[in-house]
């Protein structure tokens, strides 16, 4: 266990950081699910608008290094392809 004052402070900070990172990761997952739900709904215009808003969320989480930039790019690419594949 943390014995020095510095180690105790780092442990406290780690708890706060973990909670913050978890909320950002949850926001990312929610954004991805919203796009998938819009795609399954069948409305291409709605799916495109939801996709545009989720792009900023994905980029924001990647910029904060919660997920790797390549993982963010992979999510954006696959979601974009799914939206484009929808029938007009």
């Amino acid at each position: 266990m943390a014995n020095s004052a510095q180690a105790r402070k780092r442990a406290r900070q780690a708890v706060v950081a973990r909670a913050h990172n978890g909320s950002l990761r949850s926001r990312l997952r929610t954004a991805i699910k919203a796009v998938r739900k819009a795609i399954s709904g069948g409305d291409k215009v709605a799916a495109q608008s939801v996709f545009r808003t989720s792009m900023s969320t994905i980029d924001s989480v990647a910029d904060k290094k919660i997920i790797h930039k390549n993982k963010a790019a992979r999510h954006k690419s696959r979601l974009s392809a799914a939206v484009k594949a929808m029938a007009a």
Side-chain angles (χ1 to χ4, degrees), residues 14-75:
V15 170
V16 173
R18 179 175 162 83
H20 184 251
N21 292 344
S23 71
L24 290 175
R25 195 171 291 114
S26 175
R27 190 184 312 167
L28 168 77
R29 291 182 185 136
T30 303
I32 292 170
K33 286 177 193 174
V35 176
R36 289 189 181 141
K37 185 176 180 181
I39 290 169
S40 66
D43 186 6
K44 188 168 186 173
V45 176
Q48 287 172 332
S49 66
V50 172
F51 175 68
R52 274 194 295 274
T53 58
S54 69
M55 289 271 287
S56 65
T57 303
I58 294 170
D59 286 333
S60 172
V61 171
D63 288 342
K64 292 176 174 72
K65 298 190 170 141
I66 305 302
I67 62 169
H68 196 272
K69 61 180 180 162
N70 290 357
K71 181 174 182 173
R74 184 171 62 244
H75 279 301

